[in-house]
Amino acid sequence: MTESASPSLSLGRYRLDWRVTRSIRLPDYAGSMLRGAFGHALRSIGCITREKDCAACPLRRDCPYTTLFEPIPPEHHPLQDFSRIPAPYIIEPPEWGARVLHPGDTLTFHFTLVGRAVEELPIAILAWRRALARGIGPGDGQAELTGVWLEQSGSSSAIYTPESGGIRKHDTQLTCPPPSGDKVCLHLVTPLRLQNNGVPLKAQTVTERALLMALVRRFALISEFHGEAAWQPDFRHLGELTGSVTGKRQLSWRDWQRYSSRQKQKMALGGVTGRWDLRGELAAFWPALWFGQWLHAGKNASFGLGRYEILAA
């Protein structure tokens, strides 16, 4: 699939509704907490060999845990040698703000699967149910799943309830529409964290080029490694085109912290939020911009950072 074609991608954005059974303490941003609970539950279900390190497992290329949570990079690639590739899922936690949900309250968040990973929806639902039955957050809050909804193109449809027992067939194929002009208005909902040589780019230092090329790279890699057909942009040409794009920004920096169980320490993270209006030769970037509404952008996109919406120009 070339950049001139209208790219398509199998992409299911699901809303998961829960009934709280033991009080759940949500931090300011629950994306990292939810991802950790999901990963632990998925590994406990999907791992057959019980190897401590997935890299030593002879079944790792056929394992649902590595397929979803730690996808294996190719041994050789014409672009570069990859130590990691993007995961084919995105968690969108509840809206920002620490609070306590009490028994009987409703917990809602979204979970997106991309490309061939959509086929793993049954085990993903099972992992989510196990994760919230075991308990999440301080005090091991618990909840029972009441329903899963596909939310696509402004509509929603119920595809699963625990009572139904099966997942209703549903279409997840999305095709990028034609570009709407030379202006795109973005509303950055969760912190967008772009970096240059490891240094985070703040409202005063982030650039249109950094944003656009991050989106192009993410969509190209996800469509190649997880999609049915790869989107193959001309990176050099697009890099040159970024010079034609100007931006009007109303951005601010939002800090937050998460605890890394792998590094055994708190990590200060943050990114820019607000409105960013882009104008210029945007047609070639349009597929990456449009799909980016579901795929997000920047660091830690898998647990919901870098989420944005395209506003009507």
Side-chain angles (χ1 to χ4, degrees):
M1 185 194 310
T2 63
E3 64 179 273
S4 60
S6 293
S8 62
L9 185 66
S10 180
L11 190 153
R13 181 175 183 260
Y14 303 99
R15 189 185 84 221
L16 280 65
D17 291 339
W18 306 81
R19 181 176 59 253
V20 176
T21 57
R22 179 189 290 173
S23 293
I24 296 176
R25 298 182 179 275
L26 294 176
D28 274 335
Y29 187 73
S32 177
M33 180 181 77
L34 288 171
R35 184 187 65 167
F38 174 68
H40 284 300
L42 182 63
R43 198 175 197 278
S44 71
I45 294 170
C47 178
I48 297 174
T49 62
R50 303 301 176 192
E51 293 276 356
K52 290 185 177 181
D53 184 0
C54 292
C57 179
L59 303 180
R60 65 188 187 125
R61 295 194 177 274
D62 300 308
C63 173
Y65 172 76
T66 52
T67 296
L68 279 180
F69 207 76
E70 293 186 10
I72 301 168
E75 293 182 4
H76 305 287
H77 192 275
L79 184 63
Q80 68 176 74
D81 290 331
F82 289 95
S83 59
R84 300 178 65 183
I85 60 175
Y89 74 90
I90 299 96
I91 297 168
E92 293 178 358
E95 290 185 2
W96 200 281
R99 57 198 179 277
V100 178
L101 300 180
H102 299 286
D105 289 347
T106 298
L107 167 67
T108 296
F109 58 86
H110 290 80
F111 178 66
T112 298
L113 290 173
V114 181
R116 293 180 296 276
V118 172
E119 300 171 6
E120 306 293 338
L121 179 60
I123 197 170
I125 291 176
L126 181 60
W128 278 119
R129 293 183 69 180
R130 178 170 292 188
L132 273 81
R134 285 182 169 179
I136 59 171
D140 290 330
Q142 296 175 335
E144 295 176 342
L145 184 67
T146 59
V148 178
W149 300 70
L150 174 71
E151 295 199 344
Q152 213 82 297
S153 303
S155 64
S156 62
S157 57
I159 62 161
Y160 173 82
T161 62
E163 295 77 22
S164 67
I167 297 173
R168 210 181 83 197
K169 288 186 177 180
H170 54 283
D171 183 16
T172 59
Q173 200 68 23
L174 290 182
T175 300
C176 181
S180 56
D182 65 351
K183 183 179 180 183
V184 174
C185 304
L186 307 181
H187 173 217
L188 307 183
V189 180
T190 59
L192 168 67
R193 186 178 181 88
L194 300 174
Q195 297 184 164
N196 181 25
N197 294 325
V199 178
L201 300 176
K202 299 199 173 184
Q204 301 80 11
T205 54
V206 70
T207 64
E208 287 72 28
R209 177 186 173 89
L211 170 67
L212 291 171
M213 296 309 293
L215 286 167
V216 165
R217 180 179 175 83
R218 178 161 170 79
F219 179 44
L221 292 178
I222 283 182
S223 67
E224 176 182 357
F225 294 130
H226 305 299
E228 297 78 14
W231 183 60
Q232 298 175 321
D234 183 335
F235 285 94
R236 177 174 294 181
H237 175 61
L238 291 179
E240 294 170 353
L241 280 182
T242 59
S244 76
V245 179
T246 58
K248 181 181 179 182
R249 311 174 205 170
Q250 294 174 303
L251 302 175
S252 59
W253 181 263
R254 169 170 266 176
D255 260 323
W256 70 288
Q257 288 187 339
R258 76 176 182 95
Y259 180 77
S260 172
S261 57
R262 181 174 296 180
Q263 300 186 36
K264 307 296 183 185
Q265 62 179 347
K266 284 187 175 181
M267 302 180 66
L269 298 174
V272 293
T273 60
R275 176 163 171 156
W276 197 342
D277 296 351
L278 305 173
R279 186 186 292 273
E281 297 183 46
L282 294 170
F285 300 101
W286 177 243
L289 279 161
W290 190 76
F291 278 107
Q293 296 176 96
W294 294 274
L295 301 179
H296 298 204
K299 297 281 290 183
N300 300 320
S302 63
F303 56 80
L305 293 192
R307 179 182 167 226
Y308 64 86
E309 300 166 348
I310 294 179
L311 307 176

